[in-house]
Amino acid sequence: MIVLIINAGSSSLKYQLLNMVNSSVDIVNNAVETDSVMASGIVERIGEPQGKLTHKKISGKDNTKFVKEQEIKDHGIAMHLAVAMLTDKAAGVINSINEIDAIGHRVVQGGEKFNSSILIDHSVKKAIRANYPLAPLHNPPNLTGIEVAESLFPSIPNIAVFDTEFHQTIPQKAFMYALPYEFYEQFRVRRYGFHGTSHKFVSNSAAVLMKSKKDKLNLITVHLGNGCSICAIEKGRCVDTSMGMTPLAGVMMGTRTGDIDPAIQKYLLDYTGFNAEELDNVFNKKSGLKGICGMNDMRDIHAAVNTGNELAKLALEMFTYQIKKYIGAYFAVLGHVDGIIFTAGIGENDTIAREMICSNLTGLGIELDPVKNREGEGISESRAIHSESSSVEIWVIPTNEELQIAREVTHIIKKTQK
Ligand code: ADP
């Protein structure tokens, strides 16, 4: 089964074409698959005078890059260009669009309506639109991507995969905020959680790697990229997560505050001259690691720490301390933890951050093996990094959100064919 994954942003469109070789895969039972990426690409600066498409044709370990720069007026043109690349003589990997069996769309906010991926019809689109207020920057372009795909390829089924769906198992005591209850009823103010496809992917992989069934494992998954989120997963079901109603909450991130005292906002509005929108921009784009030390790329921060930059050191200490606190909290939530899984850019690559996060946790049975932690540096492979005496396994598992979306799509197409 050939699946096209679309991730449409406000001015960009990412795509990936996968051949799900073992299409009889059962995602529920964690069968290991041998899927392969055929091509991937990104169209950037849609709507600006100078747009750019970067396309990679992938065959085995080799990939060939193709770049096109031209005006790309809208998402429809962007999708046209992407498909033209996929079917191009030199850059292409399929002969015709008819070879694509299904299209999977990443949709950020599914609200409370969706606890699984779904074949898109009129009512699904209506629900995605109804969630615009909850994700004003993401859901509108996500829906645009869907509508463009529907109009360009009317005979190919479209499936929506939501960032929030994995978190719909969180119990009410954990997803509620202590605000007037009617704010939840009338305005849908609650914790939704994000990065769901990543947490799901790595927790499924962990079950395979730990030679267990996912419904037997309690895991804490730690996704540390530009955005960061942590999940408590009890027997395969997410029971809490650090991000909240929006992806601003939880641990501090590259440029986002993470959890702060809510009264800080009014205080700053009263005394700084920022208006609410400007402050929101500061909280999202100028805070986190960047707010503390002026840098948000963790590699730059380590380089600065090595030259004695005190603020870079502080940023790293704050970051790893906050993650450690969440691990402690989720340990208490779960009662027993079988594994801690690190993933995404920092989680997969940053040996120092992992060491700092896991330091002094022997009381919880968490013991990193410093040699194993460093051994896999630069290698994008899953590996165990706990010591033999650690009662909690610690793993690095590279995330693959596109593959998870493609698995969901395959699963749904199989189901609808039955
Ligand atoms: P996104 O959330 O945008 O998908 P990524 O998962 O790619 O982000 O993660 C980006 C983060 O990963 C950046 O902070 C980057 O500095 C960090 N990162 C990437 N490689 C390394 C590395 N070798 N060491 C430390 N941090 C790294």
Side-chain angles (χ1 to χ4, degrees):
M1 187 177 295
I2 294 186
V3 179
L4 177 63
I5 305 300
I6 298 290
N7 182 355
S10 54
S11 63
S12 69
L13 186 137
K14 288 188 198 159
Y15 60 92
Q16 197 170 100
L17 193 72
L18 292 106
N19 187 355
M20 303 296 285
V21 177
N22 179 2
S23 56
S24 63
V25 64
D26 183 348
I27 55 168
V28 179
N29 290 320
N30 280 324
V32 182
E33 301 159 48
T34 49
D35 337 276
S36 64
V37 181
M38 304 165 78
S40 67
I42 178 164
V43 188
E44 296 168 280
R45 301 198 289 270
I46 299 171
E48 291 176 35
Q50 185 70 348
K52 183 177 178 189
L53 177 145
T54 311
H55 173 90
K56 274 190 203 159
K57 175 180 179 171
I58 299 165
S59 94
K61 285 203 163 68
D62 300 327
N63 63 62
T64 324
K65 200 163 137 182
F66 299 82
V67 178
K68 261 190 176 177
E69 296 199 62
Q70 65 179 76
E71 186 182 13
I72 301 164
K73 276 209 173 98
D74 54 33
H75 285 75
I77 311 256
M79 191 96 75
H80 252 306
L81 279 175
V83 167
M85 288 308 254
L86 292 170
T87 52
D88 182 74
K89 261 216 170 95
V93 288
I94 48 176
N95 294 318
S96 117
I97 196 69
N98 298 328
E99 289 175 40
I100 298 175
D101 295 289
I103 304 177
H105 297 266
R106 178 185 180 203
V107 181
V108 165
Q109 180 54 275
E112 290 190 325
K113 182 144 177 100
F114 300 106
N115 57 13
S116 63
S117 306
I118 191 161
L119 190 64
I120 297 170
D121 61 12
H122 177 70
S123 71
V124 172
K125 285 190 285 180
K126 201 168 146 200
I128 293 172
R129 197 171 285 114
N131 285 328
Y132 277 9
L134 292 174
L137 300 179
H138 295 99
N139 271 32
N142 294 161
L143 185 60
T144 303
I146 291 166
E147 288 176 337
V148 166
E150 282 178 334
S151 71
L152 289 180
F153 324 114
S155 58
I156 305 177
N158 288 280
I159 282 108
V161 180
F162 301 92
D163 268 15
T164 47
E165 65 187 55
F166 184 61
H167 307 298
Q168 279 298 301
T169 47
I170 295 177
Q172 191 171 19
K173 68 180 178 193
F175 75 61
M176 288 298 289
Y177 292 119
L179 287 164
Y181 194 77
E182 59 267 25
F183 286 10
Y184 167 59
E185 291 176 307
Q186 290 173 19
F187 305 113
R188 298 184 291 158
V189 174
R190 55 157 285 179
R191 179 188 308 282
Y192 290 98
F194 299 89
H195 289 145
T197 47
S198 174
H199 290 289
K200 189 170 185 179
F201 178 83
V202 297
S203 56
N204 282 352
S205 304
V208 177
L209 293 161
M210 292 168 73
K211 301 190 171 47
S212 182
K213 289 255 184 256
K214 66 180 178 191
D215 60 6
K216 299 238 162 11
L217 287 178
N218 283 0
L219 301 172
I220 298 174
T221 49
V222 185
H223 176 113
L224 306 177
N226 284 310
C228 300
S229 65
I230 306 176
C231 262
I233 302 173
E234 187 176 44
K235 301 182 178 4
R237 291 161 62 85
C238 177
V239 291
D240 207 346
T241 191
S242 60
M243 280 181 167
M245 176 167 139
T246 74
L248 187 58
V251 293
M252 66 190 277
M253 311 175 208
T255 62
R256 292 176 232 167
T257 56
D259 296 336
I260 58 169
D261 180 341
I264 292 171
Q265 180 159 17
K266 178 168 185 310
Y267 176 82
L268 291 175
L269 285 172
D270 288 348
Y271 293 105
T272 62
F274 283 122
N275 64 33
E277 198 156 322
E278 287 163 347
L279 209 49
D280 190 56
N281 191 47
V282 172
F283 287 0
N284 274 289
K285 303 212 169 117
K286 296 182 180 165
S287 300
L289 296 166
K290 187 173 193 162
I292 298 298
C293 70
M295 289 166 270
N296 60 294
D297 190 308
M298 202 44 114
R299 290 162 290 200
D300 297 340
I301 292 173
H302 285 301
V305 170
N306 289 339
T307 63
N309 182 322
E310 287 298 323
L311 288 180
K313 184 165 169 263
L314 175 64
L316 181 63
E317 283 174 354
M318 287 172 65
F319 181 73
T320 52
Y321 173 74
Q322 293 189 9
I323 295 161
K324 187 194 282 278
K325 275 213 304 196
Y326 263 98
I327 290 178
Y330 287 169
F331 216 101
V333 165
L334 294 168
H336 164 87
V337 175
D338 299 291
I340 295 175
I341 317 299
F342 286 99
T343 194
I346 299 170
E348 290 165 29
N349 297 297
D350 193 332
T351 53
I352 296 168
R354 288 196 304 259
E355 221 166 79
M356 290 172 75
I357 292 164
C358 296
S359 66
N360 294 324
L361 291 180
T362 41
L364 296 179
I366 301 169
E367 261 180 53
L368 197 74
D369 181 322
V371 177
K372 286 189 199 159
N373 183 40
R374 283 170 190 271
E375 259 170 9
E377 220 166 326
I379 304 169
S380 181
E381 269 175 21
S382 299
R383 55 202 183 272
I385 55 170
H386 51 275
S387 70
E388 273 179 26
S389 53
S390 183
S391 49
V392 177
E393 296 190 19
I394 311 172
W395 286 80
V396 173
I397 302 182
T399 194
N400 192 334
E401 287 163 283
E402 289 77 17
L403 178 54
Q404 183 60 36
I405 295 174
R407 285 177 179 176
E408 306 278 337
V409 169
T410 311
H411 187 63
I412 289 191
I413 296 293
K414 288 264 147 199
K415 236 171 46 182
T416 53
Q417 283 169 350
K418 270 183 192 160

